[in-house]
């Protein structure tokens, strides 16, 4: 994956920040969220639910 980036520098020409276009940022964000979700699922030791149990559980969640 190629990143188009621009560096923001201070008075001493030291890099202090990176600016990415929104498309690149969203791709990185998506990869990080997917990785975190996989890690969370892998670490979950709880029991699995049947389809009916899952429907009942999700129906009871707060829909904010």
């Amino acid at each position: 994956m190629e990143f188009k980036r621009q560096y923001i520098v201070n008075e001493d020409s030291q890099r202090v920040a990176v600016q990415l276009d929104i498309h690149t940022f969203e791709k990185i964000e998506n990869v990080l969220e997917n990785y975190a979700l996989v890690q969370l699922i892998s670490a979950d030791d709880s029991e699995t639910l049947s389809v009916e149990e899952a429907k009942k559980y999700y129906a009871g969640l707060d829909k904010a």
Side-chain angles (χ1 to χ4, degrees):
M1 180 185 300
E2 183 67 29
F3 298 119
K4 294 180 183 178
R5 55 189 167 237
Q6 295 178 322
Y7 296 102
I8 300 170
V9 297
N10 64 14
E11 309 82 39
D12 300 323
S13 297
Q14 295 173 325
R15 294 177 182 174
V16 295
V18 176
Q19 186 176 34
L20 302 170
D21 64 85
I22 192 68
H23 180 71
T24 300
F25 172 77
E26 289 171 347
K27 286 168 53 176
I28 293 170
E29 187 177 44
N30 189 33
V31 168
L32 290 172
E33 287 174 352
N34 288 339
Y35 177 78
L37 182 59
V38 168
Q39 296 304 308
L40 182 64
I41 291 170
S42 297
D44 187 7
D45 293 333
S46 64
E47 66 181 74
T48 57
L49 301 175
S50 70
V51 172
E52 289 305 315
E53 291 170 326
K55 287 180 182 179
K56 185 183 283 187
Y57 174 78
Y58 286 115
L61 291 178
D62 188 17
K63 307 253 186 329

